[in-house]
Amino acid sequence: MATAEQPCYTMIFESNAEYPSASELRTSLEKGSDDVKLEALRKIVVSTINGNPQPSLMMPIIQFVMPSRNKQLKKLLHFYWEVCPKYDENGKLKQEMILVVNAIRNDLQHPNEYIRGATLRFLQKIANENELLEPLIPTCRACLEHRHSYVRKNAVFALFSIYREFEHLIPDASELMSTFLAAETDSTCKRNAFIFLAHCDLPKAVDWVLGNQDSIPTLEEGLQMSVIEVVRLDCKSDSTHRARFIRLIFDLLNVSSHAVKYEAATTLTLLTQNPAAVKASASTLISLIVKESDNNVKLIVLDRLETLRSKHEHILDGLIMDVLQILGNSDMDVRRKAMNIVLSMTSSRNVEEVVQFLKKQLLRTQEKAAEFDKASEYRQLLIQSIHVTAIKFSEVAASVVLALMEFLGDSVGASSNSNAVTTSTALDVIAFIREVVDKFPRLRPGIFDRLVWEVFRGVLWILGEFVGAQDSYSSTNEAAEAIKQCIEGIRTCLGDIPIYVDSAQEETNLDDVAIHKEAGGGKPKVLADGTYATETAYNTTTSSDSQIGKARPPLRTLILGGDFFTGTVLAVTLTKLVLRFEVLCPQQSIMNALRAQAMLIMTSIIRVGHAKSSPAPGAPVVQIDEDSTERIMNCIQTLSDLTGKTKVDTDDDEAIVKEIFLRDTKKAFERMIGAQEKRAAEKRAAELAHKGSTVQVDDLLSFRQFSKKAVDQDLDYDEDLGRATGAADIREDFISNLSRISQLTGFSDPIYVETYVKMHGFDIMLDVLLVNQTANTLQNLCLDFATLGDLKIVERPSVYTIAPHGFQSIKATIKVSSTETGVIFGSILWEGPNMSEACVILNDIHIDIMDYIKPAYCNEAQFRSMWTEFEWENRVNVHSTVSDPREYLKHVMKSTNMSCLTPEGALSGDCDFLSANMYARSLFGEDALANLSIERTETGTVTGHIRIRSKTQGIALSLGDRITMAQKDNKPSAA
């Protein structure tokens, strides 16, 4: 803050309707009781803070309030002396302040220690008033010898505050504090004196630390923190005491205070790069994470541990089992961050132990789910971590793949509450198995034997793609036999064929209705004509729907329940198996039997989709969609057109069809895996590039080879603070600044107003320029802003006077609390000639939410989970003259700052249809999802819709408005 600006105080609401006049306040101060004076003084303080100082009331306050012995009045009086104007128009100290200084001196000599201490605390707040403080210095020094520690500790900080502003007022500060520190016994007073000594004379503070090195680990926590700060300050230069400081920091690693241990562990790695010191620091951080109860502290220490690991990669590998103990925490954010550190520390030496631990945790989440908080999410995290580890270290893939296959049945029979989570767990296992069978052919036979009995869509794709592939088996006969066993296993999971018949009794095979004849044990019944008859009763027992569901095979249940997408995958899998079997087995009879069996299953699936009545008791009637019907019919047509000839005699059409089924799908999967690996490599490269520092052409170069290689990084808190707040990364661009200028009034208005809108974190800074375009002086000019949306005005602008044709710059700060389109509007009021009031209404300022939305990435499972969870949806219709769907996608991504989650391979090719998922995240932690579905019409335009989902309504509506505005521009480059 510039020295010419006034200090900023807290704004307090003041009701104009109830505020008394100056004469009424004077009367309350003169004749009122202490309670009345207290209320009147409180109103005067509030009025002064809000810009109405009322200097005429200063003398009544001195006469009638200052002599009072009421402690509340004295405390409130300190607030008034802090905020009241102390200088006249010429910048000289007011004469009344001499009486104030005398009263303050009397309070500093008061026998009550509370009044002395409160007055010393008040002096810290006016430490920049030289003329007020100079007569009070001897009295403050005398307070250092007071019997009560409350007075002494405040006296030390009062002198410290004065010394920072005016060193000449206390020329012997270092000797004074050294003497005080040697004789003081109170821990808080010693801490304050030590901080003062370190500021005024660092070498003497270092000598005190070295002289009391053995007793420092037993001192109070605050003093230990101050000692660590002095060590950091002294070691910024080439200190000769570095070795002794390292031993001292080692001792502080074992104290009971968590804050001291954290600072000591951080400082130790800055003093030395010795592996033993790095390990000791990391061990201390790990123990803090395990013992600390606050999850926010755990996350902060984990960040520090990750930074330490990135700088000393292989030194900390031996501590990986200690890091694994952090996974016992119940918070998922802590678990994820700890797991990321574990994965980065995993090497070929410890991968076996890591995988063994993860497998045990995985089994515990299944066997003792009640002991784990969010067991399903934790299980999913473990599976994903094992996936990454097994792909990176192939030697452990065989030991984990079969264990993970136990979780394929999680979604079968799960309750409705946990079905979504268990299904995502099974999908993660499928993704892992699919990549394993692609990269490690030697593991395929054992996996196939297990997959046949756990059939899902992903499993069916794996079976169709890799069962019978010649690179997985030693001989052709073995591959053909594997195909036959696979088809037999699928038949077992389907049950009897056909899947659906017209008669409900035939489908259930009399399981639903059982008629039992009971013997008549009563007396014979006498009919109306006098003859005898025997009565026989029949009971009808109907099986419950749950019993039917349990008896039906799982794959049959899915198809009868209307899951025709699974039926389509099943048809494609059977087609691939039959086509591959034709190449392997020359016996036409076996080939025809498998082909007929596959075609029968496919026609049964279509028949279920065309059923007029419910195929399963209690299930709704679901008709098969056209895409699934077309896909299954293509598979039937492919199998029916097989000639049974050798590959040489096969015509071109059949060769193309086999190429599509047997090779193109695998190539597409390999491209998807390659895109994922490329994205991961780009992320690693970006992280490495981010670690590297860039310098300007005229910056000073520092060669570490020519400096002492004993420090890890610069020991400068100011530099750390600048990096943390991003102040060092700000690059002002003149052109971009011009684009942020908004004109608020017209050129013909008496006052021309324009503002520069600058986004800074969660604040909006308004730099307003006012130009008086008249020949008159504008007095009592007030600029008043109001907001619409989640925006809050931080401070109220003051009243100004602008000379004729003069300029005035006003700054205003507005807080933003959510990603929502906000509007700032306002007006200007002033007094012109003859005290006439005038007003100009300002143009509205619309806040661009794109400054708070950044592209982000999430995997498919996370996207689906959030899409299901989020309740706010905004559907935007698309009508654009852009002819290329991909160009329109780029146009939307650029306009909304969203990233495309759909792989590049899925968007490639020549097609008139395009569907893509997009994702972004705001600075406030809000997630924004979008699904783009468009097509190119015959006229060359693009039509369709964009569905936006978010957890809050504001971001969904704001992004929808942004897309609607962007559609008005036909040129994507101008978006």
Side-chain angles (χ1 to χ4, degrees):
M1 183 180 293
T3 56
E5 295 183 358
Q6 293 295 322
C8 178
Y9 299 100
T10 304
M11 292 290 296
I12 302 176
F13 174 73
E14 178 182 5
S15 177
N16 295 327
E18 301 177 0
Y19 191 77
S21 62
S23 59
E24 294 174 346
L25 290 174
R26 181 188 296 268
T27 302
S28 299
L29 294 175
E30 292 178 358
K31 302 179 180 179
S33 62
D34 284 349
D35 294 336
V36 176
K37 291 180 180 180
L38 193 66
E39 184 62 28
L41 187 58
R42 181 179 290 108
K43 292 181 179 180
I44 295 174
V45 171
V46 172
S47 176
T48 304
I49 290 176
N50 289 339
N52 186 18
Q54 301 189 17
S56 61
L57 296 177
M58 179 178 289
M59 205 58 208
I61 292 175
I62 295 175
Q63 290 177 342
F64 303 104
V65 178
M66 201 164 59
S68 175
R69 296 184 177 182
N70 187 294
K71 293 183 175 58
Q72 290 184 344
L73 270 178
K74 283 186 175 295
K75 185 65 177 176
L76 196 59
L77 200 58
H78 290 164
F79 289 145
Y80 176 72
W81 298 136
E82 181 183 352
V83 301
C84 72
K86 306 173 186 63
Y87 298 90
D88 56 16
E89 293 80 1
N90 299 324
K92 295 183 179 180
L93 191 69
K94 292 182 177 181
Q95 296 296 325
E96 295 90 338
M97 297 307 296
I98 298 177
L99 300 174
V100 175
V101 171
N102 186 51
I104 294 175
R105 183 187 297 110
N106 293 335
D107 287 342
L108 290 177
Q109 297 172 347
H110 200 280
N112 188 309
E113 61 271 7
Y114 169 77
I115 294 179
R116 279 202 188 195
T119 307
L120 289 167
R121 288 172 63 89
F122 160 67
L123 292 182
Q124 299 175 32
K125 300 179 181 179
I126 60 169
N128 56 347
E129 307 290 347
N130 185 14
E131 297 182 42
L132 286 177
L133 295 173
E134 188 170 1
L136 303 175
I137 296 299
T139 312
C140 291
R141 295 173 66 117
C143 290
L144 293 175
E145 301 176 0
H146 193 271
R147 58 180 177 79
H148 203 285
S149 61
Y150 178 73
V151 177
R152 296 198 303 273
K153 71 177 183 181
N154 284 297
V156 171
F157 263 1
L159 292 173
F160 182 28
S161 302
I162 297 172
Y163 179 83
R164 284 188 299 183
E165 298 293 336
F166 311 104
E167 294 186 9
H168 66 278
L169 295 180
I170 313 176
D172 60 337
S174 60
E175 291 80 4
L176 180 65
M177 286 299 105
S178 297
T179 305
F180 177 83
L181 195 59
E184 183 58 51
T185 57
D186 183 75
S187 59
T188 306
C189 296
K190 292 177 70 174
R191 190 271 312 270
N192 295 356
F194 183 75
I195 294 176
F196 189 1
L197 182 62
H199 182 83
C200 64
D201 195 344
L202 183 61
K204 285 191 176 183
V206 172
D207 293 340
W208 186 90
V209 171
L210 297 177
N212 298 271
Q213 181 174 352
D214 296 335
S215 61
I216 287 178
T218 61
L219 296 178
E220 187 260 342
E221 174 185 350
L223 186 54
Q224 291 174 344
M225 297 284 286
S226 303
V227 169
I228 294 176
E229 173 66 17
V230 168
V231 170
R232 294 173 68 106
L233 291 174
D234 187 58
C235 289
K236 286 172 64 176
S237 59
D238 191 8
S239 175
T240 57
H241 309 295
R242 186 181 295 270
R244 299 185 63 181
F245 284 154
I246 292 174
R247 289 196 296 271
L248 173 62
I249 298 299
F250 261 108
D251 294 337
L252 291 178
L253 291 177
N254 301 318
V255 299
S256 59
S257 171
H258 288 184
V260 176
K261 292 171 72 174
Y262 174 77
E263 290 296 334
T266 305
T267 305
L268 183 59
T269 57
L270 303 179
L271 299 179
T272 178
Q273 292 181 341
N274 185 278
V278 174
K279 284 187 177 181
S281 177
S283 299
T284 302
L285 294 177
I286 294 172
S287 65
L288 284 177
I289 298 170
V290 175
K291 296 177 181 179
E292 181 60 43
S293 58
D294 191 345
N295 289 329
N296 294 321
V297 176
K298 290 177 182 287
L299 293 174
I300 293 173
V301 181
L302 279 169
D303 288 334
R304 176 65 65 178
L305 182 62
E306 170 60 22
T307 303
L308 188 63
R309 184 214 58 81
S310 62
K311 294 178 180 178
H312 310 276
E313 292 187 359
H314 300 294
I315 297 178
L316 304 183
D317 288 351
L319 302 175
I320 190 169
M321 298 307 296
D322 296 332
V323 180
L324 285 171
Q325 302 303 320
I326 304 175
L327 296 178
N329 187 269
S330 59
D331 186 75
M332 284 304 301
D333 292 332
V334 174
R335 286 172 172 171
R336 290 191 185 95
K337 195 174 288 290
M339 188 64 76
N340 291 333
I341 297 177
V342 169
L343 294 179
S344 59
M345 294 173 63
T346 305
S347 63
S348 56
R349 288 188 237 175
N350 54 32
V351 64
E352 294 286 349
E353 298 176 350
V354 172
V355 170
Q356 191 67 23
F357 181 88
L358 296 180
K359 286 169 62 177
K360 289 181 179 179
Q361 290 291 103
L362 195 58
L363 293 176
R364 289 187 62 191
T365 59
Q366 188 179 23
E367 298 171 357
K368 303 178 181 179
E371 298 181 5
F372 286 86
D373 188 18
K374 299 182 180 179
S376 55
E377 294 184 34
Y378 183 37
R379 184 187 312 152
Q380 190 173 358
L381 175 64
L382 292 172
I383 292 174
Q384 294 172 355
S385 304
I386 293 175
H387 178 180
V388 174
T389 306
I391 297 301
K392 186 177 180 181
F393 302 95
S394 58
E395 60 268 21
V396 299
S399 62
V400 299
V401 64
L402 297 180
L404 289 185
M405 289 175 65
E406 298 291 338
F407 295 90
L408 284 180
D410 276 3
S411 58
V412 179
S415 63
S416 58
N417 295 332
S418 61
N419 188 49
V421 179
T422 53
T423 301
S424 61
T425 302
L427 289 176
D428 289 335
V429 177
I430 287 299
F432 168 59
I433 296 175
R434 187 166 56 182
E435 193 166 352
V436 166
V437 296
D438 180 60
K439 292 182 177 293
F440 311 113
R442 59 184 176 81
L443 301 178
R444 293 175 183 174
I447 295 176
F448 296 154
D449 293 340
R450 297 286 300 275
L451 287 182
V452 168
W453 305 105
E454 301 284 355
V455 181
F456 300 95
R457 284 197 296 267
V459 177
L460 288 171
W461 185 90
I462 296 174
L463 294 176
E465 198 63 49
F466 296 102
V467 171
Q470 295 186 10
D471 56 349
S472 304
Y473 302 92
S474 58
S475 63
T476 303
N477 293 334
E478 185 179 351
E481 187 63 27
I483 293 177
K484 292 171 62 178
Q485 292 179 0
C486 181
I487 295 179
E488 186 64 29
I490 293 175
R491 277 293 307 270
T492 304
C493 293
L494 275 174
D496 296 333
I497 302 296
I499 301 175
Y500 172 74
V501 291
D502 293 336
S503 175
Q505 284 86 5
E506 293 178 8
E507 166 63 15
T508 57
N509 196 20
L510 297 179
D511 286 339
D512 296 320
V513 181
I515 300 178
H516 303 282
K517 180 179 179 180
E518 294 185 356
K523 297 180 180 180
K525 187 176 182 180
V526 181
L527 300 181
D529 57 357
T531 59
Y532 294 93
T534 303
E535 188 177 47
T536 303
Y538 290 90
N539 292 334
T540 303
T541 305
T542 305
S543 302
S544 64
D545 292 341
S546 61
Q547 292 173 340
I548 296 171
K550 291 181 180 179
R552 188 178 293 122
L555 189 54
R556 188 187 193 92
T557 303
L558 290 174
I559 295 175
L560 289 176
D563 190 358
F564 297 109
F565 184 42
T566 300
T568 303
V569 177
L570 174 60
V572 175
T573 299
L574 292 173
T575 304
K576 292 179 181 179
L577 293 174
V578 173
L579 291 177
R580 192 174 291 116
F581 187 83
E582 183 191 21
V583 179
L584 298 174
C585 182
Q587 300 180 15
Q588 193 66 27
S589 59
I590 302 177
M591 170 62 194
N592 289 338
L594 289 180
R595 181 168 59 171
Q597 190 174 3
M599 294 174 67
L600 178 60
I601 295 174
M602 297 177 197
T603 54
S604 297
I605 296 173
I606 296 178
R607 190 170 183 181
V608 172
H610 292 162
K612 300 299 182 182
S613 59
S614 176
V621 180
V622 181
Q623 296 293 325
I624 190 171
D625 56 284
E626 295 182 3
D627 292 338
S628 298
T629 303
E630 183 179 0
R631 183 65 168 161
I632 297 174
M633 290 303 298
N634 287 337
C635 293
I636 296 175
Q637 184 70 28
T638 300
L639 294 182
S640 63
D641 292 343
L642 288 180
T643 59
K645 300 180 182 179
T646 60
K647 186 176 181 180
V648 178
D649 299 333
T650 305
D651 56 6
D652 293 339
D653 292 341
E654 186 173 342
I656 293 174
V657 170
K658 289 184 178 181
E659 180 75 18
I660 293 173
F661 275 99
L662 299 181
R663 294 179 180 84
D664 287 353
T665 54
K666 184 178 179 181
K667 291 179 180 178
F669 173 70
E670 292 174 350
R671 286 196 299 269
M672 184 184 73
I673 295 298
Q676 294 177 354
E677 294 176 349
K678 180 181 178 182
R679 182 180 297 168
E682 291 175 351
K683 183 178 180 181
R684 289 193 297 268
E687 291 176 353
L688 293 176
H690 181 69
K691 292 180 181 178
S693 59
T694 58
V695 295
Q696 299 298 321
V697 291
D698 56 347
D699 285 351
L700 197 64
L701 296 180
S702 175
F703 294 94
R704 297 190 64 182
Q705 291 82 354
F706 300 149
S707 62
K708 187 174 181 180
K709 190 176 180 182
V711 293
D712 200 7
Q713 62 185 35
D714 191 11
L715 295 171
D716 195 341
Y717 270 135
D718 295 334
E719 184 179 348
D720 292 343
L721 183 61
R723 284 196 297 262
T725 57
D729 300 331
I730 298 177
R731 299 289 185 268
E732 296 291 344
D733 186 5
F734 180 72
I735 301 299
S736 64
N737 289 350
L738 290 179
S739 64
R740 293 179 178 273
I741 294 179
S742 301
Q743 182 178 342
L744 302 184
T745 61
F747 292 107
S748 60
D749 289 324
I751 297 180
Y752 173 75
V753 182
E754 67 180 19
T755 181
Y756 165 58
V757 183
K758 181 179 181 181
M759 308 294 179
H760 187 271
F762 302 115
D763 298 338
I764 299 176
M765 311 293 294
L766 297 181
D767 190 355
V768 187
L769 174 65
L770 293 86
V771 181
N772 183 3
Q773 301 190 114
T774 66
N776 303 318
T777 300
L778 305 182
Q779 299 179 352
N780 296 329
L781 184 143
C782 179
L783 176 64
D784 192 14
F785 281 117
T787 59
L788 182 65
D790 287 339
L791 306 176
K792 293 182 180 179
I793 304 292
V794 175
E795 55 191 10
R796 179 174 139 192
S798 304
V799 178
Y800 301 91
T801 298
I802 305 180
H805 304 288
F807 298 82
Q808 180 65 47
S809 178
I810 302 176
K811 293 181 174 59
T813 304
I814 297 175
K815 285 285 184 183
V816 185
S817 57
S818 70
T819 311
E820 184 177 351
T821 301
V823 180
I824 303 173
F825 52 93
S827 61
I828 299 180
L829 300 173
W830 73 89
E831 294 179 357
N834 302 324
M835 302 299 291
S836 60
E837 294 186 355
C839 175
V840 172
I841 304 300
L842 305 179
N843 294 330
D844 296 342
I845 304 174
H846 294 269
I847 303 302
D848 190 4
I849 68 167
M850 292 301 106
D851 294 312
Y852 297 96
I853 294 181
K854 303 298 180 185
Y857 173 77
C858 66
N859 56 41
E860 183 181 356
Q862 293 172 336
F863 184 89
R864 291 179 181 274
S865 175
M866 288 188 290
W867 187 269
T868 306
E869 177 185 355
F870 292 168
E871 57 183 4
W872 290 104
E873 178 174 321
N874 186 13
R875 181 186 174 107
V876 180
N877 293 325
V878 175
H879 297 285
S880 176
T881 57
V882 178
S883 58
D884 190 357
R886 295 178 189 83
E887 289 297 325
Y888 185 81
L889 173 62
K890 296 178 182 178
H891 174 49
V892 173
M893 291 169 56
K894 184 176 181 181
S895 303
T896 59
N897 284 350
M898 303 187 80
S899 61
C900 182
L901 302 181
T902 305
E904 186 66 27
L907 300 176
S908 61
D910 186 14
C911 183
D912 292 337
F913 300 89
L914 188 144
S915 179
N917 294 331
M918 295 177 289
Y919 176 64
R921 190 175 178 87
S922 71
L923 295 179
F924 307 96
E926 301 169 316
D927 298 301
L929 313 176
N931 174 258
L932 172 70
S933 298
I934 56 177
E935 64 174 331
R936 181 167 48 199
T937 61
E938 296 179 355
T939 59
T941 60
V942 171
T943 62
H945 62 269
I946 302 175
R947 297 167 62 192
I948 306 169
R949 286 196 180 185
S950 64
K951 203 167 189 177
T952 57
Q953 183 183 19
I955 190 171
L957 296 178
S958 301
L959 283 176
D961 296 340
R962 180 75 179 182
I963 294 174
T964 302
M965 294 174 60
Q967 280 194 92
K968 298 178 181 179
D969 191 353
N970 294 334
K971 298 179 181 180
S973 59

